């Protein structure tokens, strides 16, 4: 008859300890009959586990019924309900994994929110700076338009008739800064002597 062999995970579940404990005890030489299988990994004989001081199917905690109480009901608890410890351990691991994923998702969302706030602040600063530039450009354009209007010649107006009745229009206007001269070198008058 062959000795029953358990892999490290099965041995840990059967003894109620972690896989790390089983691995350390195997590496320390407390499980001399352990052999490495290419498919299942390390296989540990059940008698070696007992010799190393482990208790197989250790009594359950207060939350699960004891083995002898299940015998009173016509069968072992494991036969009726399967490997409860393995299920509980699996569910706890799944719960921890989901908590970790949730924490990562929350952290990622918070990081994204912070990045969005920083980007929004940066865009607001750029928008304010651009608005100031546009206001300065608009003021400069208004100044240039006023300068152009000041430099443009006045529109041509038709010559008006004499302002005073009986006065003849001269038709000549002196250039700015020049005095009108008469034919004889005298200054020409713009009005008639009376």
């Amino acid at each position: 008859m062959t000795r029953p062999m358990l892999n490290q995970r099965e041995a840990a579940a059967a003894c109620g300890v972690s896989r790390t404990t089983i691995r350390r005890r195997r590496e320390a030489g407390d499980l001399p009959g352990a052999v490495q299988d290419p498919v299942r990994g390390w296989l540990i004989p059940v008698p070696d586990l007992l010799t190393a001081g482990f208790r197989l199917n250790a009594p359950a905690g207060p939350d699960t019924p004891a083995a002898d109480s299940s015998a009173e009901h016509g069968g072992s608890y494991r036969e009726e309900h399967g490997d409860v410890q393995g299920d509980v351990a699996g569910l706890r691991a799944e719960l921890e994994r989901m908590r970790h994923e949730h924490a990562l998702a929350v952290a990622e969302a918070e990081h994204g929110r912070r990045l969005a706030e920083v980007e929004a602040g940066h865009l607001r600063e750029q928008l304010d700076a651009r608005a100031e530039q546009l206001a300065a450009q608009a003021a400069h354009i208004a100044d240039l338009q006023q300068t152009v209007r000041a430099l443009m010649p006045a529109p041509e107006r038709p010559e008006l008739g004499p302002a005073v009745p009986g006065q003849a229009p001269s038709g000549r206007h002196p250039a700015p800064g020049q005095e009108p001269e008469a034919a004889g070198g005298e200054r020409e008058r713009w009005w008639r002597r009376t």
Side-chain angles (χ1 to χ4, degrees):
M1 179 173 161
T2 62
R3 298 186 308 179
M5 306 281 271
L6 301 174
N7 66 22
Q8 287 187 130
R9 183 185 55 78
E10 294 167 341
C15 297
V17 295
S18 70
R19 282 189 278 176
T20 307
T21 302
I22 298 293
R23 180 185 50 82
R24 276 185 291 185
R25 297 291 293 272
R26 179 186 49 79
E27 290 173 352
D30 294 341
L31 305 170
V35 292
Q36 190 167 14
D37 182 64
V39 176
R40 293 181 62 201
W42 283 97
L43 298 178
I44 302 161
V46 173
D48 283 1
L49 291 171
L50 296 173
T51 305
F54 291 111
R55 290 178 34 195
L56 294 179
N57 299 324
D63 293 329
T64 58
D68 45 296
S69 67
S70 63
E72 295 170 3
H73 297 294
S76 76
Y77 182 79
R78 286 190 182 265
E79 288 174 3
E80 292 178 17
H81 300 288
D83 186 15
V84 174
Q85 283 183 336
D87 291 343
V88 169
L91 290 173
R92 283 186 180 154
E94 179 70 15
L95 178 62
E96 285 303 313
R97 185 187 64 77
M98 292 179 83
R99 283 182 179 164
H100 181 70
E101 287 177 2
H102 176 69
L104 287 176
V106 168
E108 187 176 329
E110 181 65 20
H111 180 69
R113 185 187 62 79
R114 287 183 187 154
L115 284 178
E117 286 177 355
V118 168
E119 183 67 19
H122 179 66
L123 290 174
R124 278 189 213 102
E125 289 173 3
Q126 285 182 338
L127 185 62
D128 291 343
R130 186 65 179 145
E132 289 175 12
Q133 286 177 346
L134 291 175
Q137 287 175 349
H140 184 67
I141 289 172
D143 289 344
L144 290 175
Q145 287 174 339
Q146 187 177 6
T147 303
V148 167
R149 280 193 298 271
L151 293 175
M152 289 184 68
E156 293 294 324
R157 294 184 212 165
E159 196 163 321
L160 301 176
V164 178
Q167 181 182 6
S170 67
R172 289 185 12 198
H173 297 285
Q178 290 182 350
E179 294 288 325
E181 293 186 17
E186 293 182 30
R187 290 181 31 190
E188 183 180 333
R189 295 191 181 134
W190 287 57
W191 63 93
R192 263 201 269 167
R193 281 191 172 178
T194 52

